[in-house]
Amino acid sequence: MQWLVTGASGKLGGYLLRELQGRGADVVAWSGSRTGESFGVLLRPVDLGDADRVAEAFRSAAPDVVVHAGAMALVSDCFRAPERADRVNRRATEVLAELAGGRRARLVFLSTDLVFDGKHAPYGEESPAVPLSVYGRTKLAAEETALRAGHAALRVSLLFGPSLNGAPSFFDDQVAALRERRPVRLFEDEWRTPLSLQTAARAVLSVARSDCTGLLHVGGPERLSRLEMGRRLAAALTLDASVLVAARRDQVPAGEPRPRDTSLDSSRWRRLFPREPWPNWDEALRELGLALS
Ligand SMILES: NC(=O)c1ccc[n+]([C@@H]2O[C@H](COP(=O)([O-])OP(=O)(O)OC[C@H]3O[C@@H](n4cnc5c(N)ncnc54)[C@H](OP(=O)(O)O)[C@@H]3O)[C@@H](O)[C@H]2O)c1
């Protein structure tokens, strides 16, 4: 079975490649700009903003399964360049969904909890999506194209864990700040259902290997504020949590409104994939070898 992973050089991409390599899978790995190897797989830069190039690279990869994780994944980048965000996030997904359908390949699209406005959590798959950002709008439009073509779209929530491929995540920054005793401001009034990158990668690959299509919410089992996440991280690392400073969202100016609570209801996923691991924050840290107790 030939796999194609887009966004292979990203945070989730690193975990996907590690899992696939562990299973001896045959993988074509696309990046945006990064070159070199990751987990023994060559990274091939393919600009998702260039539909012709995407189509040409897809034909050469000839995949049976596509995990489409590549995206302009920063809200601020999409806000600054909305047309490019539309091409990279929506249009590329449309092209990949059509091409995959044309050769009867499965495609799993990675979407986000940020398709919701944060006012009516917890959100199930049937809840109306009302994105507040360019990022959220382009991801919602992209998932619609994937679903129309008969594929699967997974809305994952905030992903946490150490980056495996260089570019530090918010999580790496927090660990560094705690270790260096640098103050960090964290929102006490913004909630998510955080999911570890490792759990997310395993969930994505199980869905990709199944015949499951349609929309699935895959969040973590706990609703935590950003501040609670920081405190639980400090406790797990037995580091001083007093450097964590409670902040409120209205104290920090943002180009677009931030959804307050995008907690996901993951019941459908749990019903369809009951054997998948679903660690809470502390268990996930232990799995990652980060906690001392
Ligand atoms: N991280 C989260 O908390 C979270 C939450 C919900 C949903 N998601 C979704 O999950 C997926 C993976 O997220 P992530 O955190 O792994 O993102 P990430 O670390 O920002 O990685 C993004 C990936 O997309 C690639 N990329 C960016 N622009 C591209 C372009 N124009 N053409 C081709 N590739 C491009 C990047 O390649 P280079 O680095 O090589 O340029 C990188 O491999 C995304 O679809 C994101 O929307 C993430």
Side-chain angles (χ1 to χ4, degrees):
M1 191 155 81
Q2 180 64 58
W3 290 75
L4 169 61
V5 176
T6 75
S9 52
K11 289 183 285 295
L12 181 60
Y15 283 80
L16 288 167
L17 289 191
R18 187 171 72 169
E19 286 286 324
L20 284 166
Q21 188 230 28
R23 299 172 193 190
D26 219 340
V27 186
V28 172
W30 290 1
S31 62
S33 50
R34 201 103 40 100
T35 53
E37 281 196 2
S38 178
F39 295 100
V41 184
L42 187 69
L43 295 172
R44 296 161 203 254
V46 174
D47 181 9
L48 292 171
D50 179 344
D52 292 339
R53 172 81 185 101
V54 168
E56 177 196 306
F58 181 93
R59 289 194 188 98
S60 134
D64 304 300
V65 189
V66 183
V67 176
H68 181 29
M72 275 174 73
L74 284 180
V75 171
S76 51
D77 285 352
C78 295
F79 178 62
R80 274 195 298 271
E83 281 167 24
R84 178 149 176 82
D86 180 69
R87 276 205 310 281
V88 172
N89 290 354
R90 182 197 59 78
R91 177 69 184 133
T93 306
E94 185 174 46
V95 171
L96 287 170
E98 280 170 13
L99 288 167
R103 54 177 282 119
R104 296 180 183 277
R106 281 182 59 67
L107 180 137
V108 177
F109 171 65
L110 264 297
S111 190
T112 170
D113 55 349
L114 296 186
V115 297
F116 295 112
D117 62 9
K119 295 177 186 161
H120 305 287
Y123 291 100
E125 287 85 356
E126 309 306 324
S127 307
V130 183
L132 299 181
S133 60
V134 172
Y135 170 69
R137 283 193 285 279
T138 58
K139 294 296 280 190
L140 179 63
E143 74 181 38
E144 285 165 0
T145 70
L147 294 173
R148 256 201 314 274
H151 299 296
L154 260 63
R155 289 182 182 147
V156 295
S157 46
L158 179 71
L159 300 176
F160 69 91
S163 171
L164 298 179
N165 48 20
S169 61
F170 82 95
F171 183 89
D172 296 310
D173 293 341
Q174 268 180 38
V175 170
L178 284 165
R179 291 204 163 120
E180 292 157 22
R181 298 188 47 77
R182 273 188 283 116
V184 195
R185 297 177 75 202
L186 295 175
F187 294 133
E188 60 183 353
D189 61 347
E190 184 171 291
W191 290 268
R192 302 290 183 255
T193 38
L195 180 74
S196 83
L197 282 157
Q198 188 161 299
T199 310
R202 288 180 182 156
V204 169
L205 296 181
S206 305
V207 173
R209 285 159 171 268
S210 75
D211 57 5
C212 170
T213 56
L215 195 53
L216 268 188
H217 282 186
V218 183
E222 292 171 294
R223 171 183 181 270
L224 297 174
S225 73
R226 299 262 182 186
L227 182 61
E228 284 164 334
M229 290 178 220
R231 287 188 175 147
R232 298 268 289 268
L233 180 58
L237 295 167
T238 60
L239 292 170
D240 179 9
S242 67
V243 294
L244 305 175
V245 182
R248 299 192 66 79
R249 292 164 336 125
D250 59 11
Q251 296 168 335
V252 179
E256 292 170 302
R258 301 175 61 100
R260 179 172 180 275
D261 183 351
T262 55
S263 298
L264 294 181
D265 173 349
S266 305
S267 323
R268 177 169 186 241
W269 173 55
R270 295 312 297 163
R271 217 170 35 250
L272 294 175
F273 296 89
R275 286 164 195 269
E276 281 301 297
W278 203 30
N280 66 24
W281 179 271
D282 296 332
E283 291 160 347
L285 292 188
R286 271 197 290 278
E287 264 186 32
L288 292 165
L290 271 173
L292 299 177
S293 57

